[in-house]
Amino acid sequence: GTYPLLPPLPAVGGNEGVGEVLEVGCRVTALKPGDWVIPADAGLGTWRTRGVFPEEMLLKVPSDIPVLCAATLSVNPCTAFRVLADFESLAPGDSVIQNAANSGVGQAVIQIAKAYGIKTINVVRDRPDLPKLVERLMALGADHVVTEEMLRKPEMKDIFKSIPRPRLALNCVGGKSTTEMLRHLQPKGTMVTYGGMAKQPVMVPVSAFIFRDVRLRGFWMTQWRKDHVQDQESVAAMMDVLCQLIRRGQLTVPACTKVTLQDYRAALEASMKPFVSSKQIFLL
């Protein structure tokens, strides 16, 4: 009940998904039967087998990409693309540090950064199956994977012998994780907060502001879409880049668990368990 996008009840759940157009009205020009579509904005309500929508509420996506990639395209990969593109002018060889690196956004950041030659330092929580998670993130293209505890250790300096300190930090957690990550940011670097999984405030040492002039910004994909309602070229360009990366195998679907809608309780319970790095996907 705290998220700033709350639909009037009763409401259909689901922000993401892909569907096929079955019929169009006589004045619809952008879509035709057979097209694949995803929500143009959050809050559409995708946990349904059928729906009737104005065409501006849907975005056409190519049907030659894997269906699970299309179903998970509208939120996490878009967020990853924007936070990498909009806050610092990154070039090949630059580095980025992020926490919640095993999240949907985190996995997309790793892959998009890899495609553009940007190094990633990826922070995850310590866990029983840590070696398996590290192996999976490295296979996606991660350059370094560290735990939150390792952020505080002198050994972190060894990482920066081979790559520059990051100019961009991506925060999805808050609390101590954020403070420790901030210490490794370059002077005049930017930290972008797009999530708050720890439900704790972002704590910044005064010295980081005064002596290193770091910048703290926020990002919300829903707001970006609202700001670009009249700029569909930017939306189309972003989707085109992401779909090209998918076709080239440089952006894959996040770890997923396929669930029937009848098993929604199991999916909801699984999504709330700690250390589950798998996205629950309803097959309708």
Side-chain angles (χ1 to χ4, degrees):
T2 59
Y3 204 68
L5 189 70
L6 297 175
L9 298 176
V12 178
N15 271 342
E16 298 176 278
V18 62
E20 181 181 343
V21 175
L22 298 178
E23 296 180 60
V24 298
C26 60
R27 296 179 188 169
V28 172
T29 57
L31 300 170
K32 65 182 186 303
D35 285 346
W36 282 15
V37 288
I38 62 174
D41 204 351
L44 182 74
T46 55
W47 298 355
R48 64 173 96 214
T49 53
R50 303 215 175 184
V52 179
F53 305 103
E55 63 179 313
E56 62 269 15
M57 292 180 68
L58 303 169
L59 282 178
K60 180 180 175 180
V61 293
S63 57
D64 63 345
I65 62 174
V67 67
L68 290 183
C69 286
T72 56
L73 183 60
S74 62
V75 179
N76 293 164
C78 292
T79 297
F81 181 86
R82 296 263 58 103
V83 294
L84 285 170
D86 292 353
F87 296 93
E88 288 283 343
S89 298
L90 299 172
D94 285 341
S95 74
V96 172
I97 189 168
Q98 64 166 345
N99 55 24
N102 55 313
S103 67
V105 173
Q107 293 176 59
V109 164
I110 289 169
Q111 294 175 85
I112 296 169
K114 177 78 172 179
Y116 287 94
I118 297 161
K119 308 294 184 183
T120 57
I121 304 157
N122 302 279
V123 185
V124 297
R125 288 181 296 171
D126 200 1
R127 64 193 65 212
D129 62 343
L130 182 63
K132 186 191 292 185
L133 175 60
V134 171
E135 183 181 342
R136 187 156 65 83
L137 295 183
M138 296 294 277
L140 288 178
D143 294 284
H144 299 276
V145 182
V146 300
T147 63
E148 292 182 346
E149 290 73 24
M150 289 167 65
L151 275 178
R152 306 180 182 102
K153 295 185 177 177
E155 290 84 347
M156 281 295 294
K157 292 179 181 176
D158 294 338
I159 290 176
F160 303 119
K161 291 177 181 176
S162 58
I163 65 173
R165 285 186 177 272
R167 290 169 47 202
L168 180 66
L170 306 175
N171 170 43
C172 182
V173 178
K176 286 182 180 178
S177 169
T178 309
T179 308
E180 296 299 332
M181 196 165 61
L182 194 68
R183 297 186 197 283
H184 302 292
L185 201 59
Q186 271 190 35
K188 297 186 183 296
T190 303
M191 174 177 280
V192 180
T193 293
Y194 68 92
M197 292 168 64
K199 296 182 180 175
Q200 295 171 352
V202 172
M203 305 291 284
V204 182
V206 171
S207 59
F209 280 128
I210 299 173
F211 303 120
R212 294 197 292 121
D213 192 20
V214 298
R215 284 168 287 197
L216 267 62
R217 300 287 304 275
F219 181 79
W220 187 29
M221 193 66 221
T222 299
Q223 188 61 50
W224 187 91
R225 291 192 188 280
K226 287 178 182 174
D227 294 343
H228 291 78
V229 167
Q230 304 302 323
D231 182 16
Q232 287 304 302
E233 285 186 15
S234 292
V235 176
M238 172 177 67
M239 303 307 291
D240 187 49
V241 168
L242 292 173
C243 289
Q244 285 183 35
L245 291 173
I246 291 169
R247 288 192 192 96
R248 293 200 292 260
Q250 293 175 300
L251 181 60
T252 59
V253 67
C256 290
T257 302
K258 300 176 187 176
V259 186
T260 63
L261 191 57
Q262 288 76 14
D263 293 329
Y264 73 93
R265 286 185 182 276
L268 292 174
E269 287 168 6
S271 71
M272 291 186 281
K273 287 179 181 174
F275 307 128
V276 175
S277 302
S278 185
K279 206 172 182 71
Q280 306 296 306
I281 304 284
F282 285 134
L283 303 178
L284 306 180

